[in-house]
Amino acid sequence: MEEQTIRVQRSETKKEKPQSDQLIFGRSFTDHMFVMDYSDPLGWHNASIVPYQPLSIDPSSMIFHYGQSVFEGLKAFRTESGDIQLFRAEKNLERLNRSNDRLCIPQIDEEFTLKAIKQLISIEKDWVPSAEGTSLYIRPFIISTEAYIGVAPSMNYKLIVILSPVGAYYKEGINPVKIAVEDHYVRTVKGGTGEAKTGGNYASSLKAQEIVAKQGFAQVLWLDGVEKKYIEEVGSMNVFFKINGEVVTPQLNGSILSGVTRSSVIELLKHWGVPVSEKRISIQDLYQAYLDGELEEAFGSGTAAVISPIGQLTWEGKDMIVNNGETGELSKRIYDTITGIQYGHLDDPFQWIQGIEAKSPVKH
Amino acid sequence: MEEQTIRVQRSETKKEKPQSDQLIFGRSFTDHMFVMDYSDPLGWHNASIVPYQPLSIDPSSMIFHYGQSVFEGLKAFRTESGDIQLFRAEKNLERLNRSNDRLCIPQIDEEFTLKAIKQLISIEKDWVPSAEGTSLYIRPFIISTEAYIGVAPSMNYKLIVILSPVGAYYKEGINPVKIAVEDHYVRTVKGGTGEAKTGGNYASSLKAQEIVAKQGFAQVLWLDGVEKKYIEEVGSMNVFFKINGEVVTPQLNGSILSGVTRSSVIELLKHWGVPVSEKRISIQDLYQAYLDGELEEAFGSGTAAVISPIGQLTWEGKDMIVNNGETGELSKRIYDTITGIQYGHLDDPFQWIQGIEAKSPVKH
C-alpha cells in the first residue's frame, strides 16, 4: 500500500475539558477525530483528522441493519514527566485486522493507522489527563456504510478513531465484584464471531447482564455455547483463576476474545516464574477447587479496568467466596505492575510501551 | 400508551421513480421516511414523517460500537384494481417486539407503529409499483443512539421506517439454487440471538456466504451451533423439505428465526391437508432420505423471495440433487398461492391481507 498523507482540519472551537476527578468512562470526547474511507477501487483513502462531529449516514446504510462492524479499545497514558505513551497499540491493530477478516471488512494498513492515531493524540495532547489512574481512551472502529439493504459485505466503510479522557477505574481502591455464572444465555459459540471484536457479541450479552444486575451481581461469567460447561469470559473481560498456586485462564478456542491485557498477564506471570496455563476449565472443576479450598484468587482482565478482582461467584445457587471477598495478593501485584508500566513508574522489560512525540506541560 | 399524533413534513422535491423493470432490491428509497425517538422519561415520542434524509449521529453512538439494533422486513403489494395491501404486517411488528426484548430495547406500540407505516405508505402511494412481481419493501428498524461507549443498554433509540420499491425476485421464472451445507461457521446458537432479527446474526453469516459463493453456491445451509448436526436455516431464510410426501421444517428452538413466510407455508399446507411437521432434522437423516429416493423437494422461505427452491445441496463433498434440479410441484403451488393472495389474485381465507386507504391510478 502506498502511504497516504493525512489531511488535518483544525477545529475552530475548543470544548471545555472535564476536570480530572469528574471524568466518566466514555461520556466526553476530544475536539478532533480521525476518519478514513474505503471504496473500490480506491481502497482506504481520504485519511483526515477533522473536528469531532456527527456522522451523516444514509438510513439504508448497512451498519444500521446488518451489524457489519468492528472496533478496538486502547489507552494513552500521561507519565510523571509529562510524556504520553501507548500500551501495546500494535496488538490492538493486529486484532482489528483479525476482526476485519471474520467480518469480511477489508484489511487496514496497521502501521499507517497507528501513525494516524499517534498524530491525532499529538494534536489532542492537552486532553490526556494527568491525575492518578486517568488516561485517554482510544476507540478505533469500522462501520459498513453502503446504502443498500441487501445481506452482503458492504462495498463502503468508514474507519473512525475517537478519543475520550477517562477517569480512574477504581476511585476508592480495587473493589472485588460479585459475578453470576450464566447458564441460559450465551455470548457466542465456536464458529461464530466470539474471537472478533464486533458489535453483535456485545449486543448479545446485554440481556443476561440486565437480568443478573437486578439480582445484585456486577457481571456474568459466560460458559461455552456448546456444552454450557466450560468457562469462557467474564462480562466483557477475559478471566483468570489462581488454583493451588497455579494461574489458569480459558484457552483460546474460537469463541473467546484474545485480550491484549490477557496476553500481558500471561507474559508477566511467566516472567515472574508463576505457573500459568491456558486450558479448558469446567465450572464443575472450578467449584470442586473451591470446595477443596484451592480456589485462591479470581479476576477479570481488560483494557478498561486492567484487573477486576472477583470476590464471589454464584453458580446454580451455590456461592463461591474467593479470598474472603478481598483482592488477592497476586491480582494486586499484577494490577500494580501493569499500571506501573503503563504510567512509566516501572521499567518495561517487555517493550510494551511506545512514546508519542507530544510533550505538553504537566497539569496538576 | 397514549396515542401520539404523527407530524408530517412533506419533501419539497420528489425523486425520479425507477422504472418497474429496473428495480433492484434495496437500492432506491422513496421520498419520505417515518422516524420516532425514544428517551426516558418520554418513552417513544416525536413520531414524524419527514423527507428521506441522512441521519446525523454522534460517532460515539452505541449503534456504531455494540450492535444493539433490530429490524423487520415486509412488503406492500399493488392489486390489479390499484389497491395497496399489506401481508401479515402485524406479525412483523409482534416479532419486532420479541427482538426488542432479546436486545434490551424498549417495546413499541405495535398498533401505532402499524398505523404510522400505513400513513407513510399512503403518502408514498405512487411509489408502490404495479408491474408483475414488484412490490414496496418496508424496512422498520431500531438503532441505539446514546452517545456513550460503555457496554450497557442504550438510553436513547430511533425507530425508522424506510421504503424501497423492489423488482420481481424471479425475473426469468423461479430458478432453483445450489446450496452448500456449512460445517465450520455457525450463524448463532441456542441462548444467543438467533431468534431475534438483529444485525449481529447477519454480520456473523457473511464470511461463510463469501466462501461458498466462490465455490459456485448461492447460499449456505446452517447447522446448529451445538452439535453441527441439525438443520437450522438456509442463508437468511427458513428451510423446508418434502420427504416421502410429508413436508418438514426445523422446529423453533431459540436459534431459528420465526419467519412470517414460514408460518404462512405451514398454515397453507395444513389448510390443503398436506402433512407438515416442525421437528429436529439431522443432516444425516436428510442425506439418508436422499439416498432412499425420498427427498422430493427442498426450498427456502422468506419475505424477499417468498419461496426459493433448492436444486442441489452439497454436504461434505456429497451432492444431493433435488427433483432433478427443478422446481418442485408443491414448491410452485405454495409460491403461486402466497403471491396470489399477496397481489389479490386469489381469495384470502386466512385474513393475511389488510388494505391501505390509498388508492392511486394504476400505472402500466
Side-chain angles (χ1 to χ4, degrees):
Chain A
M1 252 180 270
E2 200 182 323
E3 178 125 330
Q4 302 178 55
T5 52
I6 300 172
R7 188 176 61 88
V8 179
Q9 182 200 342
R10 293 268 181 172
S11 178
E12 285 172 19
T13 57
K14 293 280 169 74
K15 297 178 198 167
E16 201 180 328
K17 293 177 186 66
Q19 303 246 308
S20 267
D21 58 351
Q22 281 166 20
L23 292 168
I24 301 168
F25 183 89
R27 290 266 179 214
S28 69
F29 299 90
T30 68
D31 293 312
H32 299 85
M33 61 188 191
F34 174 74
V35 184
M36 183 162 68
D37 296 315
Y38 181 90
S39 64
D40 267 332
L42 286 175
W44 288 107
H45 65 284
N46 205 15
S48 319
I49 291 170
V50 297
Y52 186 95
Q53 61 193 283
L55 306 176
S56 175
I57 302 189
D58 195 275
S60 70
S61 288
M62 287 181 164
I63 182 62
F64 299 132
H65 305 269
Y66 306 124
Q68 197 195 5
S69 65
V70 295
F71 71 94
E72 274 300 328
L74 61 160
K75 285 176 174 172
F77 303 89
R78 173 84 69 187
T79 69
E80 274 174 10
S81 59
D83 290 327
I84 298 170
Q85 53 189 34
L86 290 172
F87 181 77
R88 309 194 82 181
E90 68 289 350
K91 289 275 169 205
N92 292 90
L93 295 170
E94 278 169 36
R95 185 172 62 186
L96 188 60
N97 262 340
R98 292 200 302 276
S99 299
N100 281 340
D101 181 63
R102 179 63 183 84
L103 274 298
C104 300
I105 296 174
Q107 296 285 297
I108 57 158
D109 180 334
E110 295 168 23
E111 212 173 304
F112 174 75
T113 307
L114 182 52
K115 191 183 133 185
I117 289 173
K118 286 180 175 177
Q119 188 175 342
L120 177 64
I121 295 171
S122 178
I123 287 172
E124 302 290 54
K125 59 183 185 291
D126 293 344
W127 280 91
V128 184
S130 57
E132 197 183 333
T134 64
S135 58
L136 186 71
Y137 183 80
I138 304 159
R139 168 56 59 91
F141 62 105
I142 301 177
I143 55 174
S144 45
T145 54
E146 186 181 358
Y148 171 45
I149 54 170
V151 179
S154 179
M155 301 293 280
N156 306 103
Y157 301 88
K158 270 187 191 297
L159 180 154
I160 299 169
V161 182
I162 56 177
L163 306 176
S164 174
V166 298
Y169 201 87
Y170 297 109
K171 283 195 179 127
E172 294 155 7
I174 294 188
N175 207 2
V177 292
K178 286 165 81 171
I179 299 290
V181 179
E182 177 60 46
D183 52 15
H184 177 68
Y185 293 105
V186 302
R187 179 182 158 270
T188 175
V189 68
K190 198 176 165 183
T193 54
E195 215 168 38
K197 215 162 167 71
T198 181
N201 297 341
Y202 296 81
S204 172
S205 78
L206 297 173
K207 184 78 177 174
Q209 163 62 20
E210 188 177 74
I211 292 168
V212 302
K214 285 180 190 149
Q215 298 160 356
F217 295 98
Q219 274 295 351
V220 300
L221 186 78
W222 297 106
L223 300 182
D224 76 283
V226 173
E227 302 185 59
K228 293 204 181 124
K229 190 171 160 184
Y230 298 101
I231 295 168
E232 299 229 312
E233 299 190 13
V234 60
S236 51
M237 292 187 284
N238 293 115
V239 66
F240 287 82
F241 303 98
K242 181 165 167 251
I243 298 174
N244 199 18
E246 187 193 2
V247 178
V248 293
T249 189
Q251 67 187 12
L252 302 180
N253 62 356
S255 62
I256 294 174
L257 190 78
S258 176
V260 175
T261 310
R262 176 185 181 277
S263 114
S264 307
V265 170
I266 293 170
E267 285 184 52
L268 195 57
L269 291 170
K270 285 182 177 164
H271 180 74
W272 287 341
V274 176
V276 53
S277 64
E278 301 171 63
K279 61 182 183 192
R280 233 162 51 148
I281 307 161
S282 77
I283 184 68
Q284 180 65 56
D285 286 351
L286 186 78
Y287 186 62
Q288 191 57 51
Y290 168 74
L291 292 178
D292 296 345
E294 296 186 339
L295 177 56
E296 296 158 354
E297 300 189 30
F299 59 89
S301 73
T303 294
V306 184
I307 297 298
S308 175
I310 298 169
Q312 178 183 326
L313 274 161
T314 298
W315 176 50
E316 293 179 350
K318 302 183 282 281
D319 293 338
M320 305 177 226
I321 309 295
V322 187
N323 194 41
N324 297 316
E326 287 162 21
T327 300
E329 197 183 317
L330 185 65
S331 308
K332 184 73 168 55
R333 186 178 170 210
I334 296 168
Y335 176 80
D336 288 343
T337 307
I338 293 180
T339 55
I341 292 171
Q342 288 172 334
Y343 288 95
H345 306 319
L346 296 179
D347 282 343
D348 169 25
F350 310 101
Q351 282 151 346
W352 285 342
I353 291 302
Q354 56 183 297
I356 290 177
E357 301 291 319
K359 272 213 183 184
S360 61
V362 184
K363 282 160 295 167
H364 288 290
Chain B
M1 252 179 272
E2 201 182 324
E3 178 126 331
Q4 303 179 54
T5 50
I6 300 171
R7 189 176 61 87
V8 178
Q9 182 201 343
R10 294 266 180 173
S11 178
E12 286 174 18
T13 57
K14 294 280 169 75
K15 297 178 199 167
E16 201 180 328
K17 294 177 184 65
Q19 304 246 308
S20 267
D21 59 350
Q22 280 167 20
L23 291 169
I24 301 167
F25 183 89
R27 291 263 179 216
S28 69
F29 299 90
T30 69
D31 293 312
H32 299 85
M33 62 188 190
F34 174 73
V35 184
M36 183 161 67
D37 295 315
Y38 181 91
S39 63
D40 267 333
L42 287 174
W44 287 106
H45 65 284
N46 205 15
S48 319
I49 290 170
V50 297
Y52 186 96
Q53 61 195 285
L55 306 175
S56 175
I57 302 188
D58 196 274
S60 70
S61 288
M62 287 181 165
I63 182 61
F64 299 132
H65 305 269
Y66 305 123
Q68 198 195 4
S69 65
V70 295
F71 70 94
E72 272 301 327
L74 61 160
K75 284 176 174 174
F77 303 89
R78 173 84 70 187
T79 68
E80 273 174 10
S81 59
D83 290 328
I84 298 169
Q85 52 189 33
L86 290 172
F87 181 76
R88 309 194 80 182
E90 68 289 352
K91 288 275 168 206
N92 291 91
L93 295 171
E94 278 170 36
R95 185 173 62 187
L96 189 60
N97 262 341
R98 291 201 302 277
S99 299
N100 281 340
D101 180 63
R102 180 62 184 84
L103 273 299
C104 300
I105 296 174
Q107 296 285 296
I108 57 159
D109 180 334
E110 294 167 23
E111 212 172 303
F112 174 75
T113 307
L114 181 52
K115 191 183 132 187
I117 289 172
K118 285 180 175 178
Q119 188 174 343
L120 177 63
I121 295 170
S122 179
I123 288 172
E124 302 290 54
K125 59 184 185 290
D126 293 344
W127 280 91
V128 184
S130 57
E132 197 182 330
T134 63
S135 59
L136 186 71
Y137 184 80
I138 304 159
R139 168 56 60 89
F141 62 104
I142 301 177
I143 55 173
S144 46
T145 53
E146 186 182 357
Y148 170 46
I149 54 170
V151 180
S154 179
M155 302 292 281
N156 305 104
Y157 301 88
K158 270 185 191 297
L159 180 154
I160 299 169
V161 183
I162 55 176
L163 306 175
S164 174
V166 298
Y169 201 88
Y170 298 110
K171 285 197 177 124
E172 295 154 7
I174 295 189
N175 207 2
V177 292
K178 286 165 81 169
I179 300 290
V181 179
E182 176 60 47
D183 53 13
H184 176 68
Y185 292 104
V186 302
R187 178 183 159 270
T188 175
V189 69
K190 198 176 166 183
T193 54
E195 216 168 37
K197 215 162 166 72
T198 182
N201 298 340
Y202 296 80
S204 172
S205 78
L206 297 173
K207 184 77 178 177
Q209 164 62 20
E210 188 177 73
I211 292 168
V212 302
K214 285 181 190 149
Q215 298 161 357
F217 295 97
Q219 273 296 351
V220 299
L221 186 78
W222 296 107
L223 301 181
D224 76 283
V226 173
E227 302 185 60
K228 294 205 180 124
K229 189 171 160 185
Y230 298 102
I231 295 169
E232 300 230 313
E233 299 190 13
V234 60
S236 51
M237 293 187 283
N238 293 117
V239 67
F240 286 83
F241 303 97
K242 182 166 168 253
I243 299 174
N244 199 18
E246 186 193 3
V247 178
V248 293
T249 189
Q251 67 187 12
L252 301 182
N253 61 356
S255 63
I256 294 174
L257 190 77
S258 176
V260 176
T261 310
R262 175 184 181 278
S263 115
S264 308
V265 170
I266 293 170
E267 285 185 53
L268 196 57
L269 291 170
K270 285 182 177 166
H271 180 74
W272 287 341
V274 176
V276 55
S277 63
E278 301 171 63
K279 62 184 183 190
R280 235 163 49 149
I281 307 161
S282 77
I283 184 69
Q284 179 64 54
D285 286 352
L286 186 80
Y287 185 63
Q288 191 57 50
Y290 169 74
L291 292 179
D292 297 344
E294 296 186 339
L295 177 56
E296 296 157 355
E297 300 189 29
F299 60 88
S301 73
T303 293
V306 185
I307 297 298
S308 175
I310 297 169
Q312 179 183 325
L313 274 162
T314 298
W315 176 50
E316 293 179 350
K318 301 183 282 281
D319 293 337
M320 303 177 228
I321 308 296
V322 187
N323 194 41
N324 296 317
E326 287 162 20
T327 299
E329 198 183 316
L330 185 64
S331 309
K332 183 72 168 57
R333 186 178 170 209
I334 296 168
Y335 176 80
D336 288 344
T337 307
I338 294 180
T339 55
I341 293 171
Q342 287 172 335
Y343 288 95
H345 306 319
L346 296 178
D347 281 343
D348 169 26
F350 310 101
Q351 282 149 349
W352 285 343
I353 291 302
Q354 55 183 297
I356 290 176
E357 301 292 317
K359 274 212 179 183
S360 61
V362 183
K363 284 160 294 167
H364 288 290

